[in-house]
Amino acid sequence: LHSRDQSFHEPHAPEVIVSPNSTEEVSGVLRYANEQHIPVTPWGAGSSLEGNPIAVNGGIMMNFVNMAAIVDTRPDDFQVDVQPGVTRLELNKALSRYGLFFPPDPGANASIGGMIANNASGIKTIKYGATKDNVMRMEVVTANGEIIHVGTLARKDSSGYDLLHLFIGSEGTLGIVTQATLKLAPLPAKFSAVMAAFEDVPSAIRTVVDVVGAGLEPSALEFMGMETIRVLKRDKGLEAIDAPTILMEFNGSNDDAGLNEALEICKANGSINIQTAPGQEARNKLWSIRHGTYESLLREHPNKSQLHLDAAVPVSKYPELVAFTQSMLVEYELLGYIYGHAGDGNLHCNMIYEPDNHEQFQRCKTANARIVEKAISLGGTATGEHGVGIGKRHYIVEQHGAALDVMRQIKMTLDPNGILNPGKIFL
Ligand SMILES: Cc1cc2nc3c(=O)[nH]c(=O)nc-3n(C[C@H](O)[C@H](O)[C@H](O)COP(=O)(O)OP(=O)(O)OC[C@H]3O[C@@H](n4cnc5c(N)ncnc54)[C@H](O)[C@@H]3O)c2cc1C
């Protein structure tokens, strides 16, 4: 269970798994591991897609199953203090009684510690931001066992270096998060969703750019390629036509105005089929189908493996990235399913391969590498949300240039013995 995440990366078991009960215990384990130069890899729910929590050098795996409490909820401040092991769904269930929720939504039932470490995001990012935009303060244990606090409970802060955001997204390589204060949002009273199909990919993507450009603030804006739609129809009974499709959600009090304007934009871009899902029940059905894309693809291709693309570009460059991705699938003769958080310029392509077909796997890796290089050349990133982990280490050299040396110096300062999640981010 603790030797692999949800990616294709090779499993590797740790020597020992510890499940601390308190920050002091985390500190004690780290102090000992630092003295003995033993690797420590934090583990949340293991749902990563880039090998982020795999203990590639063995050592200690630190599991947060015993530190999963919701410590304090302050509805008047829209804040909650949690331990890292609580999962997103457990948290949101508990918060619903206050009419509040924690918006970042990576689809999987990830732990809050894992979401912070990967700076996870997902379908709600376009309106609510990524995890980094929804964390206010953290308790962190550094490699030598020291307990520090970063960030503030105030909504704004100009005091000193922004260490909060240094630790967020650091994939457990700089420190271990033992408590976090999260920013909450009111549960929207009204929801509506639109599914619009288009003759071709450029018209669908043009619609994404136009909706963002019109300042409509959808709470989700997703693109699904035709092959992906076909699988969801077969697997989940999605009622749709076989065509590139945009899925949008509006929530809050002025959802009708946003929805109506979005419908006009879809029509102006030649949408060939528009379906609306007014109300929460219809909207929930649609989004649960979208959320299940990964599982639907697994069922469509039993006993096959998937390589996940996670590139992101400025939204105006999204059409170019989608077209390039399609051309790569053709050039390398691959079956790949394209979809993504289009409103954020984040593109996924799940490439299917036979687990024991090395030559086919190499073709997937080469196509993936060329798409990532294209995304970086368009001003984008190798990874919009899954993190660097093992799989994206090559690309951050190209993406960050000399800034990578600064990252290495930070790592050396905070973790001079290299015990925290070694083998990740840096080659
Ligand atoms: C079906 C599916 C869909 C997905 N969709 C998305 C998506 O839309 N968006 C997205 O962002 N991700 C997505 N993911 C990836 C994954 O869910 C996220 O990366 C998530 O943040 C991982 O959280 P986790 O709790 O599973 O962490 P893990 O995988 O266990 O660990 C993730 C990283 O966090 C570190 N870590 C864990 N706990 C701590 C801690 N307390 N302190 C410091 N470091 C810690 C680990 O060492 C590791 O580096 C998806 C995954 C699946 C399987």
Side-chain angles (χ1 to χ4, degrees):
L1 176 65
H2 291 82
S3 66
R4 60 173 300 242
D5 62 0
Q6 294 297 309
S7 70
F8 62 89
H9 293 291
E10 204 178 314
H12 196 291
E15 261 87 38
V16 60
I17 300 170
V18 299
S19 304
N21 297 292
S22 66
T23 302
E24 289 67 33
E25 288 189 6
V26 172
S27 167
V29 172
L30 283 181
R31 214 175 314 117
Y32 174 77
N34 196 40
E35 281 161 17
Q36 304 293 326
H37 293 214
I38 300 169
V40 179
T41 304
W43 174 275
S47 70
S48 286
L49 295 173
E50 270 311 345
N52 323 55
I54 299 178
V56 288
N57 290 5
I60 299 170
M61 175 151 282
M62 194 175 273
N63 178 326
F64 289 96
V65 68
N66 292 338
M67 289 179 70
I70 299 172
V71 178
D72 186 28
T73 308
R74 296 180 295 283
D76 290 348
D77 285 326
F78 294 87
Q79 291 174 5
V80 65
D81 299 334
V82 296
Q83 290 186 311
V86 68
T87 66
R88 182 179 70 81
L89 292 181
E90 282 164 23
L91 176 63
N92 280 335
K93 193 170 164 202
L95 290 172
S96 64
R97 84 170 81 140
Y98 301 101
L100 297 170
F101 77 120
F102 177 59
D105 178 0
N109 189 17
S111 71
I112 297 302
M115 288 176 65
I116 290 172
N118 283 355
N119 186 23
S121 54
I123 63 168
K124 293 274 194 301
T125 314
I126 188 166
K127 178 161 180 175
Y128 297 99
T131 299
K132 72 178 166 60
D133 304 304
N134 292 278
V135 179
M136 307 191 71
R137 190 169 192 261
M138 296 192 311
E139 179 182 75
V140 177
V141 185
T142 59
N144 61 6
E146 193 178 349
I147 301 166
I148 61 170
H149 294 88
V150 293
T152 170
L153 299 187
R155 282 190 73 86
K156 51 203 289 199
D157 182 19
S158 307
S159 139
Y161 296 154
D162 188 353
L163 296 185
L164 179 76
H165 290 104
L166 179 62
F167 285 104
I168 298 174
S170 65
E171 301 183 29
T173 64
L174 296 182
I176 293 191
V177 179
T178 46
Q179 189 161 315
T181 300
L182 309 177
K183 198 190 284 181
L184 306 176
L187 273 172
K190 288 164 75 181
F191 289 94
S192 55
V194 183
M195 190 165 71
F198 295 84
E199 196 86 56
D200 50 37
V201 174
S203 323
I205 305 292
R206 181 75 248 153
T207 305
V208 171
V209 177
D210 288 353
V211 167
V212 174
L216 294 184
E217 296 190 359
S219 43
L221 179 44
E222 301 279 302
F223 168 69
M224 314 206 70
M226 183 166 73
E227 296 304 331
T228 311
I229 288 287
R230 280 190 178 136
V231 170
L232 295 181
K233 283 174 71 176
R234 273 197 292 273
D235 188 54
K236 289 291 184 88
L238 177 70
E239 287 168 21
I241 62 169
D242 292 355
T245 297
I246 297 294
L247 269 175
M248 274 180 275
E249 179 193 86
F250 290 88
N251 67 20
S253 47
N254 68 345
D255 61 334
D256 289 345
L259 176 74
N260 291 335
E261 206 173 322
L263 291 175
E264 290 307 316
I265 292 174
C266 292
K267 286 180 202 153
N269 283 319
S271 176
I272 50 175
N273 187 284
I274 300 180
Q275 295 179 49
T276 54
Q280 190 159 1
E281 200 178 318
R283 170 260 174 214
N284 284 354
K285 190 174 163 210
L286 198 57
W287 288 105
S288 89
I289 293 174
R290 160 63 187 90
H291 263 322
T293 306
Y294 174 69
E295 287 80 5
S296 291
L297 291 176
L298 286 179
R299 279 190 290 274
E300 179 80 5
H301 299 283
N303 306 321
K304 301 266 172 74
S305 299
Q306 301 182 20
L307 189 147
H308 303 270
L309 172 80
D310 173 40
V313 290
V315 74
S316 67
K317 307 286 188 215
Y318 201 68
E320 199 174 336
L321 188 67
V322 174
F324 187 79
T325 302
Q326 287 178 314
S327 75
M328 288 294 99
L329 293 176
V330 173
E331 187 172 328
Y332 290 94
E333 297 177 12
L334 293 167
L335 178 57
Y337 293 91
I338 293 179
Y339 60 100
H341 313 301
D344 310 324
N346 192 186
L347 185 69
H348 295 316
C349 176
N350 292 20
M351 299 178 205
I352 311 293
Y353 64 94
E354 309 268 354
D356 47 10
N357 186 338
H358 183 70
E359 183 274 328
Q360 192 183 36
F361 180 50
Q362 286 308 317
R363 274 188 279 132
C364 289
K365 281 174 77 168
T366 310
N368 184 60
R370 289 189 58 191
I371 300 165
V372 167
E373 281 157 14
K374 177 77 176 173
I376 294 171
S377 77
L378 293 172
T381 173
T383 169
E385 53 185 24
H386 298 164
V388 178
I390 298 169
K392 296 286 177 343
R393 291 175 303 167
H394 284 280
Y395 310 119
I396 69 161
V397 179
E398 184 183 340
Q399 188 176 329
H400 295 292
L404 196 58
D405 290 335
V406 179
M407 292 190 200
R408 279 187 205 282
Q409 287 164 28
I410 291 169
K411 170 74 176 168
M412 280 301 291
T413 303
L414 287 172
D415 180 19
N417 295 331
I419 62 159
L420 287 175
N421 202 1
K424 310 300 160 52
I425 301 188
F426 305 104
L427 274 171

